[in-house]
Coordinates of all heavy atoms in Angstrom, one line a residue:
M26 N 102.9 97.0 84.7 CA 102.5 97.6 86.0 C 101.0 97.7 86.1 O 100.4 97.5 87.1 CB 103.2 98.9 86.2 CG 103.0 99.5 87.5 SD 103.8 98.4 88.8 CE 103.7 99.4 90.2
Q27 N 100.4 98.1 85.0 CA 98.9 98.3 85.0 C 98.2 97.0 85.2 O 97.2 97.0 85.9 CB 98.5 98.9 83.6 CG 99.1 100.3 83.3 CD 98.7 101.3 84.4 OE1 97.6 101.3 84.8 NE2 99.6 102.1 84.8
R28 N 98.7 95.9 84.7 CA 98.1 94.6 84.9 C 98.2 94.2 86.4 O 97.3 93.6 86.9 CB 98.7 93.5 84.0 CG 98.4 93.7 82.6 CD 98.9 92.6 81.8 NE 97.8 92.0 81.1 CZ 97.8 90.9 80.5 NH1 98.9 90.2 80.4 NH2 96.7 90.4 79.9
L29 N 99.3 94.5 87.0 CA 99.5 94.2 88.4 C 98.6 94.9 89.2 O 97.9 94.3 90.1 CB 101.0 94.5 88.8 CG 101.3 94.3 90.3 CD1 101.2 92.8 90.6 CD2 102.7 94.8 90.6
I30 N 98.4 96.2 89.0 CA 97.4 97.0 89.8 C 96.0 96.4 89.6 O 95.3 96.3 90.6 CB 97.5 98.5 89.3 CG1 98.8 99.1 89.7 CG2 96.3 99.3 89.9 CD1 99.1 100.4 89.2
F31 N 95.6 96.1 88.4 CA 94.3 95.5 88.2 C 94.2 94.2 88.9 O 93.1 93.9 89.6 CB 94.1 95.3 86.7 CG 92.8 94.5 86.4 CD1 91.6 95.2 86.5 CD2 92.8 93.2 86.1 CE1 90.4 94.5 86.2 CE2 91.7 92.5 85.8 CZ 90.4 93.1 85.9
W32 N 95.2 93.3 88.9 CA 95.1 92.0 89.5 C 95.1 92.1 91.0 O 94.5 91.3 91.7 CB 96.2 91.1 89.0 CG 95.9 90.5 87.7 CD1 96.5 90.9 86.5 CD2 94.8 89.6 87.3 NE1 95.9 90.2 85.5 CE2 94.9 89.4 85.9 CE3 93.9 89.0 88.1 CZ2 94.0 88.6 85.3 CZ3 93.0 88.1 87.4 CH2 93.1 87.9 86.0
I33 N 95.7 93.1 91.6 CA 95.7 93.4 93.0 C 94.2 93.7 93.4 O 93.7 93.2 94.4 CB 96.6 94.5 93.4 CG1 98.1 94.0 93.3 CG2 96.3 95.0 94.8 CD1 99.1 95.1 93.5
G34 N 93.6 94.6 92.7 CA 92.2 95.0 93.0 C 91.3 93.8 92.8 O 90.4 93.5 93.7
L35 N 91.4 93.0 91.8 CA 90.6 91.9 91.6 C 90.8 90.8 92.6 O 89.9 90.2 93.1 CB 90.8 91.3 90.2 CG 89.9 90.2 89.7 CD1 88.4 90.8 89.6 CD2 90.3 89.7 88.3
S36 N 92.1 90.6 93.1 CA 92.4 89.6 94.1 C 91.7 90.0 95.4 O 91.2 89.2 96.2 CB 93.9 89.6 94.4 OG 94.5 89.3 93.2
L37 N 91.7 91.3 95.7 CA 91.0 91.8 96.9 C 89.5 91.5 96.9 O 88.9 91.1 97.8 CB 91.3 93.3 97.2 CG 92.7 93.7 97.6 CD1 92.9 95.2 97.5 CD2 93.0 93.1 98.9
L38 N 88.9 91.8 95.7 CA 87.5 91.5 95.5 C 87.2 90.1 95.7 O 86.3 89.7 96.5 CB 87.0 92.0 94.2 CG 85.6 91.7 93.8 CD1 84.6 92.4 94.7 CD2 85.4 92.0 92.3
L39 N 87.9 89.2 95.0 CA 87.7 87.8 95.1 C 88.0 87.2 96.5 O 87.2 86.4 97.0 CB 88.5 87.0 94.0 CG 88.1 87.4 92.6 CD1 89.0 86.7 91.6 CD2 86.6 87.0 92.3
G40 N 89.1 87.7 97.1 CA 89.4 87.2 98.4 C 88.4 87.6 99.5 O 88.0 86.8 100.3
W41 N 87.9 88.8 99.4 CA 86.9 89.3 100.3 C 85.6 88.5 100.1 O 84.9 88.1 101.0 CB 86.6 90.8 100.2 CG 85.8 91.3 101.3 CD1 86.2 91.8 102.5 CD2 84.4 91.5 101.3 NE1 85.2 92.2 103.2 CE2 84.0 92.0 102.5 CE3 83.4 91.2 100.4 CZ2 82.7 92.3 102.9 CZ3 82.1 91.4 100.7 CH2 81.8 92.0 102.0
T42 N 85.2 88.3 98.8 CA 84.0 87.5 98.5 C 84.1 86.1 99.1 O 83.2 85.5 99.7 CB 83.7 87.5 97.0 OG1 83.6 88.8 96.6 CG2 82.5 86.7 96.7
A43 N 85.3 85.4 98.9 CA 85.5 84.1 99.4 C 85.4 84.1 100.9 O 84.7 83.2 101.5 CB 86.8 83.5 99.0
A44 N 86.0 85.1 101.6 CA 85.9 85.1 103.1 C 84.5 85.3 103.5 O 84.0 84.7 104.5 CB 86.8 86.3 103.6
L45 N 83.7 86.1 102.8 CA 82.3 86.3 103.1 C 81.5 85.1 103.0 O 80.7 84.7 103.9 CB 81.7 87.4 102.2 CG 80.2 87.7 102.4 CD1 79.9 88.3 103.7 CD2 79.8 88.7 101.3
L46 N 81.7 84.3 101.9 CA 81.0 83.1 101.7 C 81.4 82.0 102.7 O 80.6 81.2 103.2 CB 81.2 82.5 100.3 CG 80.6 83.4 99.2 CD1 81.1 82.9 97.8 CD2 79.1 83.5 99.3
I47 N 82.7 81.9 103.1 CA 83.2 80.9 104.0 C 82.6 81.2 105.4 O 82.2 80.3 106.2 CB 84.7 80.9 104.0 CG1 85.2 80.3 102.7 CG2 85.3 80.1 105.2 CD1 86.7 80.5 102.5
N48 N 82.6 82.5 105.8 CA 82.2 82.9 107.2 C 80.8 83.4 107.2 O 80.4 84.2 108.0 CB 83.1 83.9 107.7 CG 84.5 83.4 107.9 OD1 84.7 82.3 108.4 ND2 85.5 84.1 107.4
F49 N 79.9 83.0 106.2 CA 78.6 83.5 106.0 C 77.7 83.4 107.3 O 77.0 84.3 107.7 CB 77.9 82.9 104.8 CG 76.5 83.5 104.7 CD1 76.3 84.8 104.3 CD2 75.4 82.7 104.9 CE1 75.0 85.3 104.2 CE2 74.1 83.2 104.7 CZ 74.0 84.5 104.4
E50 N 77.8 82.2 107.9 CA 76.9 82.0 109.1 C 77.2 83.0 110.2 O 76.3 83.6 110.8 CB 77.1 80.6 109.6 CG 76.1 80.3 110.7 CD 76.3 78.8 111.2 OE1 76.6 78.0 110.3 OE2 76.1 78.6 112.4
T51 N 78.5 83.2 110.5 CA 78.8 84.2 111.5 C 78.4 85.6 111.1 O 77.9 86.4 111.8 CB 80.4 84.2 111.8 OG1 80.7 82.9 112.1 CG2 80.8 85.2 112.8
Y52 N 78.7 86.0 109.8 CA 78.4 87.3 109.3 C 76.9 87.5 109.3 O 76.5 88.6 109.7 CB 78.9 87.3 107.8 CG 78.8 88.7 107.2 CD1 79.6 89.7 107.6 CD2 77.9 88.9 106.2 CE1 79.5 91.0 106.9 CE2 77.8 90.1 105.5 CZ 78.6 91.2 105.9 OH 78.5 92.4 105.3
Q53 N 76.1 86.5 109.0 CA 74.7 86.7 109.0 C 74.1 86.9 110.4 O 73.2 87.7 110.6 CB 74.0 85.5 108.4 CG 72.5 85.6 108.2 CD 71.9 84.4 107.6 OE1 72.5 83.3 107.5 NE2 70.7 84.5 107.0
N54 N 74.7 86.2 111.4 CA 74.2 86.4 112.8 C 74.5 87.7 113.4 O 73.8 88.3 114.2 CB 74.8 85.3 113.7 CG 74.2 83.9 113.4 OD1 73.1 83.8 112.9 ND2 75.0 82.9 113.7
V55 N 75.6 88.3 112.9 CA 76.0 89.6 113.5 C 75.3 90.8 112.8 O 75.0 91.8 113.5 CB 77.6 89.8 113.3 CG1 78.0 91.1 113.6 CG2 78.3 88.7 114.1
T56 N 75.0 90.7 111.5 CA 74.5 91.9 110.8 C 73.0 91.8 110.3 O 72.6 92.7 109.5 CB 75.4 92.1 109.5 OG1 75.3 90.9 108.7 CG2 76.8 92.3 109.9
T57 N 72.2 90.9 110.8 CA 70.9 90.8 110.3 C 70.0 92.1 110.5 O 69.2 92.4 109.7 CB 70.1 89.6 110.9 OG1 70.3 89.7 112.3 CG2 70.6 88.3 110.3
N58 N 70.2 92.8 111.6 CA 69.4 94.0 111.8 C 69.8 95.2 111.0 O 69.0 96.2 110.9 CB 69.5 94.4 113.3 CG 68.8 93.3 114.2 OD1 68.0 92.5 113.7 ND2 69.3 93.2 115.4
L59 N 71.0 95.3 110.5 CA 71.5 96.4 109.8 C 71.6 96.3 108.3 O 72.2 97.1 107.6 CB 72.8 96.8 110.4 CG 72.9 97.1 111.9 CD1 74.3 97.3 112.3 CD2 72.0 98.3 112.2
T60 N 70.9 95.3 107.7 CA 71.0 95.1 106.3 C 69.8 95.6 105.5 O 68.8 95.8 106.1 CB 71.2 93.6 106.0 OG1 70.0 92.9 106.5 CG2 72.4 93.0 106.6
V61 N 70.1 95.9 104.2 CA 69.0 96.4 103.4 C 68.3 95.3 102.7 O 67.1 95.2 102.7 CB 69.5 97.4 102.4 CG1 68.5 97.9 101.4 CG2 70.2 98.6 103.1
I62 N 69.1 94.4 102.1 CA 68.5 93.3 101.3 C 68.7 92.0 102.1 O 67.8 91.4 102.6 CB 69.1 93.2 99.9 CG1 68.9 94.4 99.1 CG2 68.6 91.9 99.2 CD1 69.6 94.5 97.8
S63 N 70.0 91.6 102.2 CA 70.4 90.4 103.0 C 71.9 90.6 103.3 O 72.6 91.4 102.6 CB 70.2 89.1 102.3 OG 71.2 88.9 101.3
P64 N 72.4 90.0 104.4 CA 73.8 90.2 104.7 C 74.8 89.9 103.5 O 75.7 90.6 103.2 CB 74.1 89.3 105.9 CG 72.8 89.1 106.5 CD 71.8 89.2 105.4
L65 N 74.5 88.8 102.8 CA 75.3 88.4 101.7 C 75.2 89.3 100.5 O 76.3 89.8 100.0 CB 75.0 87.0 101.3 CG 75.8 86.4 100.1 CD1 77.2 86.2 100.5 CD2 75.2 85.1 99.6
I66 N 74.0 89.7 100.1 CA 73.9 90.6 99.0 C 74.4 92.0 99.3 O 75.1 92.6 98.5 CB 72.4 90.7 98.6 CG1 71.8 89.3 98.2 CG2 72.2 91.6 97.4 CD1 72.5 88.6 97.1
D67 N 74.1 92.5 100.5 CA 74.7 93.8 100.9 C 76.2 93.8 100.8 O 76.8 94.7 100.4 CB 74.2 94.2 102.2 CG 72.7 94.6 102.2 OD1 72.1 94.7 101.2 OD2 72.2 94.9 103.3
G68 N 76.8 92.7 101.4 CA 78.3 92.6 101.4 C 78.8 92.6 100.0 O 79.8 93.2 99.7
L69 N 78.2 91.8 99.1 CA 78.7 91.7 97.7 C 78.5 93.0 97.0 O 79.4 93.5 96.2 CB 78.0 90.6 97.0 CG 78.3 89.2 97.5 CD1 77.4 88.2 96.7 CD2 79.8 88.9 97.3
I70 N 77.4 93.7 97.2 CA 77.2 95.0 96.5 C 78.2 96.0 97.0 O 78.8 96.8 96.2 CB 75.7 95.5 96.8 CG1 74.7 94.7 96.0 CG2 75.6 97.0 96.4 CD1 73.3 94.9 96.3
F71 N 78.5 96.0 98.3 CA 79.5 96.9 98.9 C 80.8 96.7 98.2 O 81.5 97.6 97.8 CB 79.5 96.7 100.4 CG 80.6 97.5 101.0 CD1 80.5 98.9 101.2 CD2 81.8 96.9 101.4 CE1 81.5 99.6 101.8 CE2 82.8 97.6 102.0 CZ 82.7 99.0 102.2
M72 N 81.3 95.4 98.1 CA 82.6 95.1 97.5 C 82.6 95.5 96.1 O 83.6 95.9 95.6 CB 83.0 93.7 97.8 CG 83.8 93.4 99.0 SD 85.0 94.7 99.4 CE 86.3 94.3 98.3
L73 N 81.5 95.3 95.3 CA 81.5 95.6 93.9 C 81.6 97.2 93.7 O 82.3 97.6 92.8 CB 80.3 95.1 93.2 CG 80.3 93.6 93.0 CD1 78.9 93.1 92.5 CD2 81.4 93.2 92.0
V74 N 81.0 97.9 94.6 CA 81.1 99.4 94.6 C 82.5 99.8 94.9 O 83.1 100.7 94.2 CB 80.1 100.0 95.5 CG1 80.3 101.5 95.7 CG2 78.6 99.8 95.0
M75 N 83.1 99.2 95.9 CA 84.5 99.5 96.2 C 85.5 99.2 95.1 O 86.4 99.9 94.8 CB 85.0 98.7 97.5 CG 84.3 99.2 98.8 SD 84.6 100.9 99.2 CE 83.1 101.7 98.7
F76 N 85.2 98.0 94.4 CA 86.0 97.7 93.3 C 85.9 98.7 92.1 O 86.8 99.0 91.5 CB 85.7 96.3 92.8 CG 86.6 95.8 91.7 CD1 87.9 95.5 91.9 CD2 86.1 95.6 90.4 CE1 88.7 95.1 90.8 CE2 86.8 95.1 89.4 CZ 88.2 94.9 89.6
A77 N 84.6 99.1 91.9 CA 84.4 100.1 90.8 C 85.1 101.4 91.2 O 85.7 102.0 90.3 CB 82.9 100.3 90.7
L78 N 85.1 101.8 92.4 CA 85.8 103.0 92.8 C 87.3 102.9 92.6 O 88.0 103.8 92.2 CB 85.5 103.4 94.3 CG 84.1 104.0 94.5 CD1 83.9 104.1 96.0 CD2 84.0 105.3 93.9
Y79 N 87.8 101.7 93.0 CA 89.2 101.4 92.8 C 89.6 101.5 91.3 O 90.6 102.2 91.0 CB 89.5 99.9 93.3 CG 90.9 99.4 93.1 CD1 91.9 99.8 94.0 CD2 91.2 98.6 92.0 CE1 93.2 99.3 93.8 CE2 92.5 98.1 91.8 CZ 93.5 98.5 92.7 OH 94.7 98.0 92.5
V80 N 88.8 100.9 90.4 CA 89.1 101.0 89.0 C 89.0 102.4 88.5 O 89.8 102.9 87.7 CB 88.2 100.0 88.2 CG1 88.3 100.2 86.7 CG2 88.5 98.6 88.6
A81 N 88.0 103.2 89.0 CA 87.8 104.5 88.5 C 89.0 105.4 88.9 O 89.5 106.2 88.1 CB 86.5 105.1 89.1
V82 N 89.5 105.3 90.1 CA 90.6 106.1 90.6 C 91.9 105.6 89.9 O 92.7 106.5 89.5 CB 90.8 106.0 92.1 CG1 92.1 106.6 92.6 CG2 89.6 106.7 92.8
W83 N 92.0 104.4 89.7 CA 93.2 103.8 88.9 C 93.2 104.4 87.5 O 94.3 104.9 87.1 CB 93.1 102.3 89.0 CG 94.1 101.6 88.0 CD1 95.4 101.9 87.8 CD2 93.8 100.6 87.1 NE1 95.9 101.1 86.9 CE2 94.9 100.2 86.4 CE3 92.6 99.9 86.8 CZ2 95.0 99.2 85.5 CZ3 92.7 98.9 85.9 CH2 93.9 98.6 85.2
Q84 N 92.1 104.4 86.8 CA 92.0 104.9 85.5 C 92.3 106.4 85.4 O 93.0 106.9 84.5 CB 90.7 104.6 84.8 CG 90.4 103.2 84.5 CD 91.4 102.6 83.5 OE1 91.8 103.3 82.6 NE2 91.8 101.3 83.7
T85 N 91.8 107.1 86.4 CA 92.1 108.5 86.5 C 93.6 108.8 86.8 O 94.2 109.7 86.3 CB 91.2 109.2 87.6 OG1 89.9 108.9 87.4 CG2 91.5 110.7 87.7
A86 N 94.2 108.0 87.7 CA 95.6 108.1 88.0 C 96.5 107.9 86.8 O 97.5 108.6 86.7 CB 96.0 107.2 89.1
V87 N 96.1 107.1 85.9 CA 96.8 106.9 84.6 C 96.8 108.1 83.8 O 97.8 108.5 83.2 CB 96.2 105.7 83.9 CG1 96.8 105.6 82.5 CG2 96.5 104.4 84.6
K88 N 95.7 108.8 83.8 CA 95.6 110.0 83.0 C 96.1 111.3 83.7 O 96.7 112.1 83.1 CB 94.1 110.2 82.6 CG 93.6 109.1 81.7 CD 92.1 109.3 81.4 CE 91.6 108.1 80.7 NZ 90.1 108.1 80.6
N89 N 95.7 111.5 85.0 CA 96.0 112.7 85.7 C 96.1 112.4 87.2 O 95.1 112.2 87.9 CB 94.9 113.7 85.4 CG 95.3 115.1 86.0 OD1 96.2 115.2 86.7 ND2 94.5 116.1 85.7
K90 N 97.4 112.4 87.7 CA 97.6 112.0 89.1 C 97.0 113.0 90.1 O 96.6 112.7 91.1 CB 99.1 111.8 89.3 CG 99.7 110.7 88.6 CD 100.9 110.2 89.2 CE 101.6 109.1 88.4 NZ 100.9 107.9 88.3
K91 N 97.0 114.3 89.7 CA 96.4 115.3 90.6 C 94.9 115.1 90.8 O 94.4 115.2 91.9 CB 96.7 116.7 90.0 CG 96.3 117.8 91.0 CD 96.8 119.2 90.4 CE 96.5 120.2 91.5 NZ 96.9 121.5 91.1
T92 N 94.2 114.8 89.7 CA 92.8 114.5 89.8 C 92.5 113.3 90.7 O 91.6 113.3 91.5 CB 92.1 114.4 88.4 OG1 92.4 115.5 87.7 CG2 90.6 114.2 88.5
A93 N 93.3 112.3 90.5 CA 93.2 111.0 91.3 C 93.4 111.3 92.7 O 92.8 110.8 93.6 CB 94.1 110.0 90.8
S94 N 94.4 112.2 93.0 CA 94.7 112.6 94.4 C 93.5 113.3 95.1 O 93.1 113.0 96.2 CB 95.9 113.5 94.5 OG 96.2 113.8 95.8
W95 N 92.8 114.1 94.3 CA 91.6 114.8 94.8 C 90.5 113.8 95.0 O 89.8 113.9 96.0 CB 91.2 115.9 93.8 CG 91.8 117.2 94.0 CD1 92.9 117.7 93.3 CD2 91.5 118.1 95.0 NE1 93.3 118.9 93.8 CE2 92.4 119.2 94.9 CE3 90.6 118.2 96.0 CZ2 92.4 120.3 95.7 CZ3 90.5 119.3 96.8 CH2 91.4 120.4 96.7
Q96 N 90.3 112.9 94.1 CA 89.3 111.8 94.2 C 89.5 111.0 95.5 O 88.6 110.8 96.3 CB 89.3 110.9 93.1 CG 88.7 111.4 91.8 CD 88.8 110.4 90.7 OE1 89.7 109.6 90.6 NE2 87.9 110.5 89.7
L97 N 90.8 110.6 95.8 CA 91.0 109.9 97.0 C 90.8 110.7 98.2 O 90.3 110.2 99.2 CB 92.5 109.3 96.9 CG 92.8 108.2 96.0 CD1 94.2 107.9 95.9 CD2 92.0 107.0 96.3
G98 N 91.2 111.9 98.2 CA 90.9 112.8 99.4 C 89.5 113.0 99.7 O 89.0 112.9 100.8
I99 N 88.7 113.2 98.6 CA 87.2 113.4 98.8 C 86.6 112.1 99.3 O 85.8 112.1 100.2 CB 86.6 114.0 97.5 CG1 87.1 115.4 97.3 CG2 85.1 113.9 97.6 CD1 86.7 115.9 95.9
A100 N 87.0 111.0 98.7 CA 86.4 109.7 99.1 C 86.8 109.4 100.5 O 85.9 108.9 101.3 CB 86.9 108.6 98.1
G101 N 88.0 109.7 100.9 CA 88.4 109.5 102.3 C 87.6 110.3 103.3 O 87.2 109.8 104.3
A102 N 87.4 111.6 102.9 CA 86.7 112.5 103.8 C 85.2 112.0 103.9 O 84.6 112.0 105.0 CB 86.7 113.9 103.3
L103 N 84.6 111.6 102.8 CA 83.2 111.1 102.9 C 83.2 109.8 103.7 O 82.2 109.6 104.4 CB 82.7 110.8 101.5 CG 82.4 112.1 100.6 CD1 82.1 111.7 99.2 CD2 81.3 112.9 101.3
A104 N 84.1 108.9 103.5 CA 84.1 107.7 104.3 C 84.3 108.0 105.8 O 83.6 107.3 106.6 CB 85.3 106.8 103.9
M105 N 85.1 108.9 106.2 CA 85.2 109.3 107.6 C 83.9 109.9 108.1 O 83.5 109.5 109.2 CB 86.4 110.3 107.8 CG 87.7 109.6 107.5 SD 88.1 108.2 108.5 CE 88.4 109.0 110.1
A106 N 83.3 110.7 107.4 CA 82.0 111.3 107.8 C 81.0 110.3 107.9 O 80.2 110.3 108.9 CB 81.6 112.4 106.8
L107 N 80.9 109.4 107.0 CA 79.9 108.3 107.0 C 80.2 107.4 108.2 O 79.2 106.9 108.9 CB 80.0 107.5 105.7 CG 78.9 106.4 105.6 CD1 77.5 107.0 105.6 CD2 79.1 105.7 104.3
A108 N 81.4 107.1 108.5 CA 81.8 106.3 109.7 C 81.3 106.9 111.0 O 80.8 106.2 111.9 CB 83.3 106.0 109.8
F109 N 81.3 108.2 111.1 CA 80.8 108.9 112.3 C 79.3 108.9 112.4 O 78.7 108.8 113.4 CB 81.4 110.3 112.4 CG 82.8 110.3 112.8 CD1 83.8 110.8 112.0 CD2 83.2 109.9 114.1 CE1 85.1 110.8 112.4 CE2 84.5 110.0 114.5 CZ 85.5 110.4 113.7
V110 N 78.7 109.0 111.2 CA 77.2 109.1 111.2 C 76.6 107.7 111.4 O 75.6 107.6 112.2 CB 76.7 109.6 109.8 CG1 75.2 109.5 109.7 CG2 77.2 111.1 109.7
V111 N 77.1 106.7 110.8 CA 76.6 105.4 110.9 C 77.1 104.8 112.2 O 76.5 104.2 113.0 CB 77.0 104.5 109.8 CG1 76.5 103.0 110.0 CG2 76.4 105.0 108.5

């Protein structure tokens, strides 16, 4: 089960990266004003951060489900607040 969870996360990372590379021209035209480095690099950094969070919560869930639940709740609240600000 642990391997399946890891491969699901890795598949999402690789699939999103492939979609970003395939549709790069469209992505670049839409996001050039809101990027820090470049649309491609910003997108890849974002997905790597999300994958790291996924692995961190997954590892915490293996050890303590209550702590993982708190992590997900706090991350969700921060994401909602960030969505309203940005």
Side-chain angles (χ1 to χ4, degrees):
M26 188 63 170
Q27 298 301 320
R28 291 185 122 189
L29 176 64
I30 292 171
F31 173 76
W32 284 108
I33 289 171
L35 191 59
S36 306
L37 289 170
L38 174 67
L39 295 176
W41 191 88
T42 303
L45 176 66
L46 293 173
I47 291 168
N48 299 312
F49 178 68
E50 185 177 325
T51 303
Y52 186 72
Q53 186 177 18
N54 290 335
V55 173
T56 60
T57 48
N58 295 333
L59 301 174
T60 59
V61 177
I62 300 170
S63 77
L65 179 64
I66 301 299
D67 285 357
L69 292 174
I70 290 171
F71 174 76
M72 266 322 279
L73 288 172
V74 168
M75 292 298 106
F76 183 67
L78 287 173
Y79 176 84
V80 170
V82 171
W83 167 47
Q84 292 297 325
T85 303
V87 169
K88 297 175 186 170
N89 187 351
K90 294 199 184 296
K91 188 173 184 177
T92 304
S94 181
W95 274 100
Q96 284 177 332
L97 288 172
I99 291 169
L103 288 173
M105 293 300 287
L107 187 60
F109 284 113
V110 171
V111 175

